Amino acid sequence: MKVNAYAIQEPKGKLMPYTYELGEIGAEDVDIKVTYCGICHSDLSMMNNEWGMTSYPLVPGHEVVGEVVAVGSAVKNVKVGQTVGMGWFSSSCMSCSNCMDGDHNMCDNAEATIVGRHGGFSDHVRGHWSWAIPIPEEMDSSKVGPLFCGGATVFSPIVIAGVQPTDSVGVVGIGGLGHLALKFLKAWGCEVIAFSSNPDKKEEILAMGASKVINSRDPEELASVQGKLKLIINTTNVTLDWDAYLSALSKKGKFHTVGAVLEPMGIPAFSLIAGNKTVGGSSVGSPELTKTMLDFCARHDIYPTVEEFPMEKVNEAMQHLEEGKARFRIVLKN
C-alpha cells in the first residue's frame, strides 16, 4: 500500500508531501484509513527532536481516528469497517509482565506511533489490533482524536490516585491537557481548582468546569488553597514553585505530573515528609483504561474543545499551536 503523508526532514523544518510503502500486513496488525488526526504538543517536540529520539523523515500524528480497512489473520476484537482510534502507542509485546498485568503502556518493547515509524499526518496508519480502540458509535469522530493522547494522559492520574467525588483536585495549566482534566473532574463530581497564569482565560475556565481559578503567579492566591487538595495534576512542561504546590496538598496528597518538565524538579524533602505526601507521574493509559475513558466521555458527553484544519494546511496548524493560539486542541481533517 502506498501511503500519502506529510513529513519533516530536519528540526525546525516544514512538513512536506511524502509517500512511502507499507509492507505486507502482519498477522496481528490493522490498517486504518485516517479521517481525522489530532495535533499534540508532543508532535512538535518530536519534530524538533527535543527528546533526542526522532528519526527523519518523520511523519507526526498520534491521535488517529479512522476506519479499519484491513486486518491480519490473527486480529481479535477489531473488524474491517469499524471506526477506531490510536494514540501514542501502536503496539506492545502482549507477553511481558507489564502487558500481562494490564499495563501495556509500560511494556519495555512497546512501539510508539511516531518513534521509529510514521504516524497519522497521512491517509493510512498501521498498528497492533490491541491499540486500535473502537470508538462508541454515539461519539462524534471529528472531535474524539485528542482523547487518545491528551485525554488518556489526564484521565490516568484520576484513576491512579483513586480520586473520590468528594475530593478537591487541582489542575495546573489549562491548555490542551488541562482543559480535558477540568471536564473529567467536573463530571467525576470533584471540586476543581484551576491554576492558570493567563487571567484572560478565567471565564472560559470556569465555564469548562472549574470551581475556582487561582492565578499561579500570585503567592497570596496560591496560599489561599494551602492544605486543601487531595491531588494536583500538573500539565505544564516548565519549572514551577514546587514547594508552593506541595503546600497546597492535603495530608497524604499527591502531586502528579504529566507535563514533560525538561529540567530536574527541585522537590524539598521536608515538604513531603511532614504531610506524608507523594510526587509521581504517568504517561497515557493502557488500551483498557483508554476504552474506559471513552465510555466515560460518551456517558457524560465530554469532548475536547477543538479547532479543525484541513490536512493540507498542516503547517498553518502547527504554527497556530507553536504560537500558543490553540483553543484548546487542533484536529486535522483528511
Side-chain angles (χ1 to χ4, degrees), residues 41 198 201 307 318-327:
H41 202 278
N198 186 350
K201 288 184 180 179
E307 298 175 275
M318 294 306 302
Q319 183 178 354
H320 192 65
L321 172 68
E322 194 166 11
E323 292 175 352
K325 295 178 179 178
R327 291 293 182 271

Side-chain angles (χ1 to χ4, degrees), residues 172 216 234 236-242 245 255 260-266:
V172 184
S216 57
N234 173 43
T236 70
N237 63 354
V238 297
T239 297
L240 303 173
D241 183 348
W242 305 115
Y245 287 101
F255 183 93
V261 183
L262 296 177
E263 296 180 0
M265 296 168 63

Side-chain angles (χ1 to χ4, degrees), residues 133-147:
I133 301 169
I135 296 170
E137 291 184 4
E138 65 269 31
M139 295 197 77
D140 182 349
S141 62
S142 70
K143 297 179 180 179
V144 78
L147 293 174

Side-chain angles (χ1 to χ4, degrees), residues 36 38 63 65 135 139-148 179-180 183 301-308 329-331:
Y36 297 94
E63 295 180 340
V65 172
I135 296 170
M139 295 197 77
D140 182 349
S141 62
S142 70
K143 297 179 180 179
V144 78
L147 293 174
F148 285 90
H179 91 287
L180 280 168
K183 293 182 180 186
D301 196 30
I302 296 173
Y303 291 98
T305 301
V306 302
E307 298 175 275
E308 187 178 291
R329 300 290 284 196
I330 300 172
V331 172

Side-chain angles (χ1 to χ4, degrees), residues 141-283:
S141 62
S142 70
K143 297 179 180 179
V144 78
L147 293 174
F148 285 90
C149 181
T153 296
V154 293
F155 190 81
S156 292
I158 299 170
V159 176
I160 291 169
V163 171
Q164 300 297 312
T166 51
D167 290 336
S168 295
V169 180
V171 179
V172 184
I174 312 304
L177 294 175
H179 91 287
L180 280 168
L182 288 183
K183 293 182 180 186
F184 290 154
L185 289 163
K186 179 184 180 183
W188 211 271
C190 299
E191 178 187 32
V192 193
I193 307 300
F195 297 90
S196 176
S197 60
N198 186 350
D200 294 337
K201 288 184 180 179
K202 182 173 181 178
E203 293 307 315
E204 193 171 9
I205 291 171
L206 290 170
M208 286 189 292
S211 309
K212 184 178 182 180
V213 181
I214 297 291
N215 183 344
S216 57
R217 294 177 177 172
D218 186 332
E220 289 188 11
E221 288 199 27
L222 282 171
S224 71
V225 290
Q226 186 170 349
K228 294 184 178 180
L229 305 178
K230 177 71 176 290
L231 170 70
I232 296 175
I233 302 173
N234 173 43
T235 71
T236 70
N237 63 354
V238 297
T239 297
L240 303 173
D241 183 348
W242 305 115
D243 196 35
Y245 287 101
L246 293 178
S247 296
L249 291 174
S250 64
K251 305 295 185 183
K252 298 184 180 180
K254 298 177 174 64
F255 183 93
H256 194 106
T257 189
V258 295
V261 183
L262 296 177
E263 296 180 0
M265 296 168 63
I267 303 296
F270 281 105
S271 294
L272 300 179
I273 293 169
N276 197 10
K277 300 172 184 179
T278 58
V279 174
S282 62
S283 65

Side-chain angles (χ1 to χ4, degrees), residues 4-43:
N4 299 299
Y6 286 89
I8 189 171
Q9 301 287 341
E10 60 185 1
K12 303 294 183 180
K14 293 290 185 182
L15 289 154
M16 301 296 290
Y18 176 74
T19 60
Y20 70 96
E21 295 284 340
L22 276 176
E24 184 178 351
I25 192 169
E28 297 193 13
D29 287 340
V30 300
D31 285 342
I32 303 167
K33 182 179 180 181
V34 180
T35 53
Y36 297 94
C37 186
I39 298 179
C40 179
H41 202 278
S42 299
D43 291 310

Side-chain angles (χ1 to χ4, degrees), residues 115-138:
V115 180
R117 63 187 301 284
H118 295 315
F121 291 6
S122 62
D123 56 8
H124 289 83
V125 70
R126 175 175 290 171
H128 190 274
W129 64 263
S130 62
W131 288 99
I133 301 169
I135 296 170
E137 291 184 4
E138 65 269 31

